[in-house]
Amino acid sequence: MRRFLFSDIAVIAATSLIVTVVQAATPPAKADVAVAVEVEVEVEVEVEVEVEVEVEVEVEVEVALSAAYAKYKDLQEGANADYIPALAKVDSNIFGIALVTPKGQIFSAGDITSEVSIQSISKVFTLALVMDERGPEAISQNVGVDATGQAFNSIVAVEQYKGAEMNPLVNAGAITATSMVSGSSREEIWTRILNYYGDFAGRELSVNKEVFDSEAATNRRNQAIAQLMYAYGHIKDNPAQATDIYTEQCAVNVNVLDLATMAATLANGGKNPLTGKQAMDIENVPEVLAVMATAGLYDDSGKWLYLTGLPAKSGVGGGIIAVSPGRFGIAVISPPLDAAGNSVRAQKAIADISNALGGNPYVVKPTE
Ligand code: DON
């Protein structure tokens, strides 16, 4: 399948060049009317080409989404997370795909209305919030930005370097990042986090109370991880509150369009393409994407990057977001997970779609 936009941009650029050349080469005094007509014709051609290209691209994206949806709709691999009891009860058949471009075009296939808890995908946005508030060094110094090569809730990984050399996308680093969000009360911190996520999604988000209560009642391992990060000085104060807020952020409800819009905001320099709001500092976007590329799918991050080249993030609720910088944000929701905790159908569908659309930023044509 043809890779979209590279050649198309070249055609548009060439047409614009003709317009400029016509304008520059025409003597000003002689035939103003003729020049105007000529320029008008060229501009019309340019607009026509642009519209044609856009329609072609739209069809290509729609075809890629429908093909992936049809291919994986009946795939029965993986299982819902059940270590958080409420997640085991979520409908395993939910399967939705959405793609949003920096221009604000929305494409989708399957279930776009069902909501699941955002889970670990939230870690990306709390990371961005902490970077916005304190600068990227606060994260690299206090949390770390290296892959652990271990499961997302590994205690061995914390112990290895006394809580250093972690990253903000595994639980230890994520709870630490949450502990770094500013606010003079739990409520103030929480409101800041929830509103920040809402800026990325382009709407007000809310918490799935059942999931929050279910995880809060069973998250002893995360409580232990937070205590360790406190013991090693990375969490400065109140590890219990940091764990509780982290648990609540994981329980934020999202549908696949929310997730794709959040991903598209990252693909668009931190500006939400649907609302036009700059959701995060543009300077921090590359670091956030780098951490996603390094650790977004945990111990399978290398395999994922090898396959797609895309910064991404998964959640045990069944969502995955992926970002093709400047091109698109894509999300899939499908609850059954593989052994690493990543949605099976989401990985396959995103890889197929991105590869069909030329989304891998490492794929470049050599110069002629
Ligand atoms: O802390 C946990 O275990 C969950 N709230 C989030 C884990 C998660 O989503 C891992 N992602 N694949």
Side-chain angles (χ1 to χ4, degrees):
M1 199 174 279
R2 195 169 62 83
R3 297 189 189 287
F4 87 97
L5 274 186
F6 289 125
S7 51
D8 303 332
I9 284 171
V11 174
I12 295 166
T15 318
S16 313
L17 190 67
I18 296 170
V19 176
T20 320
V21 169
V22 168
Q23 281 172 315
T26 312
K30 258 198 169 174
D32 279 352
V33 179
V35 171
V37 170
E38 204 168 343
V39 170
E40 212 171 277
V41 169
E42 295 294 352
V43 171
E44 261 171 34
V45 172
E46 180 188 355
V47 171
E48 260 170 38
V49 171
E50 214 165 322
V51 168
E52 231 169 69
V53 165
E54 267 177 22
V55 169
E56 223 175 284
V57 170
E58 280 168 21
V59 170
E60 203 167 3
V61 178
E62 273 159 16
V63 167
L65 262 64
S66 324
Y69 181 76
K71 187 168 166 192
Y72 299 118
K73 189 166 55 74
D74 300 319
L75 182 74
Q76 299 292 330
E77 267 177 42
N80 282 30
D82 58 5
Y83 74 101
I84 299 169
L87 296 188
K89 293 197 282 175
V90 174
D91 181 0
S92 308
N93 296 315
I94 295 171
F95 183 32
I97 306 176
L99 183 149
V100 176
T101 70
K103 279 187 178 169
Q105 295 157 291
I106 302 170
F107 301 88
S108 66
D111 184 343
I112 54 167
T113 54
S114 290
E115 296 186 332
V116 296
S117 53
I118 189 169
Q119 295 299 336
S120 282
I121 300 170
S122 68
K123 294 166 177 172
V124 171
F125 303 96
T126 299
L127 160 66
L129 174 54
V130 174
M131 280 187 182
D132 280 1
E133 287 189 346
R134 297 171 175 244
E137 295 76 25
I139 288 293
S140 54
Q141 284 164 11
N142 192 39
V143 177
V145 288
D146 274 319
T148 63
Q150 301 285 343
F152 62 85
N153 56 0
S154 170
I155 287 177
V156 171
V158 179
E159 278 303 283
Q160 192 175 13
Y161 301 111
K162 297 192 180 342
E165 302 283 325
M166 306 295 296
N167 68 69
L169 301 184
V170 293
N171 290 9
I175 299 169
T176 304
T178 301
S179 78
M180 295 165 74
V181 174
S182 69
S184 56
S185 64
R186 188 202 186 284
E187 200 190 333
E188 202 181 309
I189 297 167
W190 172 245
T191 305
R192 180 161 288 132
I193 291 174
L194 191 63
N195 289 342
Y196 193 77
Y197 292 5
D199 287 345
F200 283 84
R203 72 172 180 120
E204 212 173 291
L205 297 173
S206 60
V207 171
N208 183 322
K209 187 84 173 62
E210 191 193 349
V211 171
F212 178 35
D213 290 346
S214 175
E215 185 167 357
T218 53
N219 65 354
R220 285 165 212 116
R221 191 181 177 96
N222 281 345
Q223 291 174 30
I225 288 173
Q227 286 292 344
L228 274 178
M229 293 302 276
Y230 181 46
Y232 291 134
H234 300 282
I235 294 179
K236 310 295 179 207
D237 188 28
N238 208 343
Q241 176 174 289
T243 312
D244 194 50
I245 297 176
Y246 161 82
T247 306
E248 189 163 8
Q249 77 179 42
C250 288
V252 168
N253 257 343
V254 280
N255 61 41
V256 77
L257 288 176
D258 295 326
L259 288 178
T261 308
M262 294 170 101
T265 301
L266 293 170
N268 189 39
K271 184 175 176 179
N272 185 317
L274 303 187
T275 64
K277 180 164 186 178
Q278 190 69 38
M280 70 175 288
D281 289 352
I282 184 170
E283 306 84 55
N284 295 329
V285 174
E287 281 92 342
V288 169
L289 294 178
V291 176
M292 290 169 72
T294 308
L297 268 67
Y298 306 111
D299 33 330
D300 278 349
S301 298
K303 283 186 213 120
W304 171 260
L305 200 63
Y306 194 79
L307 194 66
T308 65
L310 298 183
K313 184 72 205 86
S314 61
V316 290
I320 297 186
I321 60 168
V323 178
S324 181
R327 307 282 302 284
F328 57 78
I330 184 168
V332 174
I333 291 178
S334 167
L337 312 176
D338 65 12
N342 302 317
S343 165
V344 177
R345 286 196 284 202
Q347 289 176 80
K348 290 181 188 291
I350 293 174
D352 276 18
I353 293 165
S354 175
N355 290 338
L357 300 179
N360 185 333
Y362 300 125
V363 175
V364 287
K365 280 188 190 151
T367 49
E368 306 260 309

